[in-house]
Amino acid sequence: MPAIDAHKGKGRSTPRSQSGCSNCRRSKVKCDEKQPVCTRCLRKDLHCSRNPLTLKWEAEYHARGLAFGRTGVWRKHSSTKEARRCTAGQTSLATPSISQWSFLNTDSSTLQHLLDQGAAGSEVVLMPARNVKVFRSTPSIRPAPSVSPIVSNLEQGFFFDYYINQICPRTNPSQVSQSPFSSVILPYCISGPPAVIKALMALAACHWAQQDSRYAVHALRLKAQVVADFRRRIASDNQAFLLSPDPEVLVLIMLLCLYEIVDHCDRRWIVHLQGAKDIILLRRQQLPQTTDPNPVSEFVELFFAFQDVMGRTACAKADLFGSSYWPEDDSTINDWMGCSPSLVSILFATMDLSRNRRNVVSTSEELTFCARASNLQRRLDNLIQRPAVGREDEILCIVAECKKLSCQIYIQCALHGADPSTPSIKATVKKILKGLSSLVAKGGASHAMWPLFVAAVELDPLDDVILPDLYTGIDTHGRRVVLQLLTEMAKTSVSSISRTRAVIEGVWERRDFYLHGTNGGRKSGLNDWEQYVVPGSDALSLV
């Protein structure tokens, strides 16, 4: 061999394989590629893996003062560097800003569709990954159904994905059954008119806007389209639209009602509730009764009736939907309500009896009142709520028990004049807050807003309960724990947490203000609940 060839070969390194293991490639030596472990990794007792793909970022290399790849290696003279970088007819562009993005339920064809829309001048909005929080895994989350032509033809279809993955899991306390918003409402919306899909997407955009205000404009635009279509349908053919066997009108009102609850939780959702009551009454009078009821209509009516009862416990207004939805002998826990119809029937009767309390003037009327109050208390004491057969769920049972304890407080305060200083109220409030703390730890406090509200407004300002802090475990005061529970529930609920918190803080302020007043500031003829809780609680949703 010529001397020059021997000299060149002396310093030449062993050629590397392009498909060797990661360790050999990192050490720049040839890998024999034996499976499952190459000889070098076996000898050195290393984990042998074959993942040759490595992402390198130019900015990171420059920050470390290193060359990026072979950039600049081939240039012999610095005088020709700029000349070679830009030639005639070419323009040097700055490196664009790169952000993190995520795509839900998409593939390359969907991405190409989005790019085609952007090229055509259509408005395309992507979802920043940092704004999408991963929700706890529950049976309510199913693989996304095949997108219907209606959803495909509507822009901003990612709100549809948000409804499936973020709204539906928040509307069900049970971890072993699906939410009706997923199992009942979603299939109807997919196969229903375009207006219900728009209403569904408007609700999703409104909920998302509570975390990211950029989506508020999309929520308002979609809501405006739904309302305009609603008015147009009513104006064109009122009877046909309202009295159609298709429950479209009720579903639209329900989604708009939820929209207003999530948005501001003011009188606007009550207007929808009152309109739903009139339409349901009209439909029951005009439409023939069938032996096979529509599950969509059944759930929507239950939604309105339950919202009515739970909201009236705070504001003490007259009922809208009556007691026919709440059979006294049904103690099975409803997965969506988080309690049994029997418990709701006791609440309903308590509210009616409390409203008639101030009309009691004679001795006989007072005896009747006491007998009815004792009967309600006895019914509550004997009530045993159980989940449906095959749906045993620890979280659902805790929610139902917290609601039963809250009903106990409500009966004592509304009918028997109890207040936060009553020993039994103090003990029950502490039990509720402990149960809610355990629910938050288990990730199942999405339907426990009413128990938290009842416990919070009946905290004694002079003798606050002591409970473990949710984050540190150190003993702290009940009001602090309530605020922590509200913060945690905001992550797993569709309710208006901000409005509920404002009402609770208003009750605390009134109690503190009248703390040194005569008789605690109590007005004549009003019990503790009417004095401190009812003011400021109008149009509050506690579902």
Side-chain angles (χ1 to χ4, degrees):
M1 177 183 294
I4 186 170
D5 292 337
H7 177 72
K8 286 183 179 180
K10 186 176 182 179
R12 185 177 300 164
S13 60
T14 306
R16 291 180 292 145
S17 169
Q18 296 297 320
S19 57
C21 73
S22 301
N23 293 324
C24 293
R25 288 178 57 81
R26 192 180 302 112
S27 301
K28 300 181 179 180
V29 298
K30 183 177 181 180
C31 178
D32 59 11
E33 302 182 27
K34 288 187 177 180
Q35 297 289 343
V37 182
C38 71
T39 302
R40 183 172 178 272
C41 289
L42 182 63
R43 186 173 65 252
K44 293 181 175 292
D45 194 23
L46 299 175
H47 176 67
C48 188
S49 62
R50 285 164 175 76
N51 184 18
L53 179 62
T54 302
L55 296 179
K56 299 181 180 179
W57 305 100
E58 184 174 2
E60 180 182 345
Y61 273 67
H62 289 172
R64 295 163 56 191
L66 302 176
F68 182 69
R70 296 187 59 82
T71 302
V73 174
W74 57 275
R75 297 185 178 95
K76 296 181 179 180
H77 303 287
S78 59
S79 59
T80 61
K81 185 181 298 183
E82 295 301 325
R84 296 192 180 191
R85 180 178 299 175
C86 298
T87 58
Q90 293 182 342
T91 303
S92 178
L93 298 177
T95 303
S97 175
I98 308 251
S99 299
Q100 296 178 348
W101 303 97
S102 65
F103 299 85
L104 298 182
N105 304 313
T106 58
D107 54 16
S108 58
S109 62
T110 309
L111 179 58
Q112 185 61 48
H113 176 65
L114 288 174
L115 295 176
D116 293 341
Q117 285 185 331
S122 302
E123 182 182 14
V124 178
V125 181
L126 300 178
M127 297 185 296
R130 61 182 177 274
N131 292 329
V132 181
K133 297 182 179 180
V134 179
F135 197 76
R136 64 184 177 89
S137 176
T138 70
S140 298
I141 303 179
R142 301 298 188 202
S146 58
V147 180
S148 68
I150 296 176
V151 180
S152 300
N153 293 333
L154 294 172
E155 295 181 5
Q156 307 161 342
F158 50 81
F159 289 129
F160 185 78
D161 294 320
Y162 185 90
Y163 173 86
I164 295 174
N165 295 282
Q166 300 292 329
I167 298 291
C168 289
R170 287 174 161 88
T171 56
N172 198 35
S174 174
Q175 290 189 316
V176 299
S177 63
Q178 282 188 287
S179 164
F181 284 88
S182 175
S183 61
V184 177
I185 300 302
L186 181 59
Y188 170 77
C189 290
I190 292 177
S191 60
V196 294
I197 284 287
K198 286 185 179 180
L200 181 149
M201 293 167 61
L203 170 61
C206 180
H207 189 274
W208 203 349
Q210 309 308 308
Q211 306 173 40
D212 191 335
S213 59
R214 292 179 299 172
Y215 296 100
V217 62
H218 300 284
L220 288 173
R221 185 182 297 119
L222 287 166
K223 175 192 170 184
Q225 294 174 5
V226 173
V227 173
D229 182 72
F230 202 118
R231 289 175 175 172
R232 186 165 51 252
R233 297 280 297 276
I234 292 178
S236 62
D237 197 343
N238 189 348
Q239 292 294 320
F241 181 51
L242 297 181
L243 298 179
S244 170
D246 190 331
E248 174 189 1
V249 61
L250 294 179
V251 174
L252 284 173
I253 296 176
M254 182 190 71
L255 293 175
L256 288 173
C257 185
L258 264 178
Y259 181 103
E260 300 299 347
I261 290 173
V262 172
D263 195 18
H264 296 292
C265 197
D266 53 15
R267 288 288 307 173
R268 284 176 287 186
W269 80 268
I270 297 295
V271 173
H272 291 308
L273 195 68
Q274 292 169 337
K277 184 260 296 186
D278 294 336
I279 292 175
I280 290 172
L281 181 61
L282 179 64
R283 290 168 66 89
R284 288 189 173 185
Q285 292 173 349
Q286 301 294 330
L287 292 179
Q289 299 296 324
T290 62
T291 56
D292 187 16
N294 189 320
V296 177
S297 299
E298 276 193 333
F299 170 69
V300 173
E301 291 187 22
L302 181 68
F303 169 87
F304 289 128
F306 192 56
Q307 286 279 3
D308 178 42
V309 171
M310 305 312 290
R312 285 196 308 117
T313 59
C315 66
K317 294 292 181 66
D319 68 280
L320 294 177
F321 287 84
S323 60
S324 61
Y325 293 92
W326 320 116
E328 296 183 9
D329 57 347
D330 188 356
S331 60
T332 302
I333 302 175
N334 181 284
D335 293 343
W336 172 71
M337 296 193 305
C339 63
S340 65
S342 181
L343 180 68
V344 183
S345 73
I346 296 174
L347 264 179
F348 190 96
T350 302
M351 288 184 288
D352 279 354
L353 189 58
S354 176
R355 285 173 53 82
N356 296 327
R357 180 180 55 82
R358 290 192 298 271
N359 298 327
V360 174
V361 291
S362 65
T363 305
S364 62
E365 289 175 339
E366 184 175 355
L367 291 174
T368 302
F369 175 86
C370 292
R372 293 178 61 188
S374 299
N375 181 56
L376 288 174
Q377 184 64 59
R378 185 167 54 254
R379 285 178 55 193
L380 182 63
D381 293 340
N382 296 332
L383 175 62
I384 300 177
Q385 302 181 99
R386 292 188 177 91
V389 177
R391 293 185 180 179
E392 287 72 14
D393 185 351
E394 181 186 5
I395 288 180
L396 189 62
C397 290
I398 296 176
V399 172
E401 181 61 23
C402 287
K403 291 189 175 182
K404 180 181 177 180
L405 292 173
S406 303
C407 188
Q408 176 76 30
I409 292 179
Y410 185 73
I411 288 179
Q412 292 296 319
C413 293
L415 301 183
H416 301 290
D419 57 39
S421 63
T422 305
S424 61
I425 299 297
K426 288 183 179 181
T428 309
V429 165
K430 191 170 186 177
K431 286 181 182 179
I432 294 173
L433 293 180
K434 282 185 175 180
L436 296 179
S437 299
S438 68
L439 279 176
V440 168
K442 298 176 185 296
S446 61
H447 255 47
M449 186 56 60
W450 186 67
L452 177 58
F453 176 81
V454 173
V457 298
E458 290 300 324
L459 281 171
D460 189 353
L462 293 177
D463 187 17
D464 199 359
V465 299
I466 303 300
L467 293 165
D469 187 283
L470 257 62
Y471 305 122
T472 64
I474 302 174
D475 285 348
T476 187
H477 294 283
R479 289 189 177 183
R480 179 181 179 87
V481 174
V482 167
L483 296 179
Q484 291 176 342
L485 287 170
L486 286 169
T487 300
E488 292 302 313
M489 286 185 183
K491 304 173 184 178
T492 60
S493 175
V494 186
S495 302
S496 178
I497 304 298
S498 59
R499 174 74 202 288
T500 305
R501 174 169 178 160
V503 174
I504 290 173
E505 291 177 346
V507 174
W508 291 347
E509 290 174 359
R510 283 188 288 276
R511 290 195 185 280
D512 294 344
F513 182 77
Y514 291 113
L515 194 59
H516 303 290
T518 304
N519 193 26
R522 184 78 58 83
K523 293 182 180 179
S524 177
L526 297 181
N527 58 32
D528 179 83
W529 192 272
E530 294 167 334
Q531 172 69 19
Y532 295 105
V533 181
V534 171
S537 298
D538 190 30
L540 181 63
S541 172
L542 292 172
V543 174

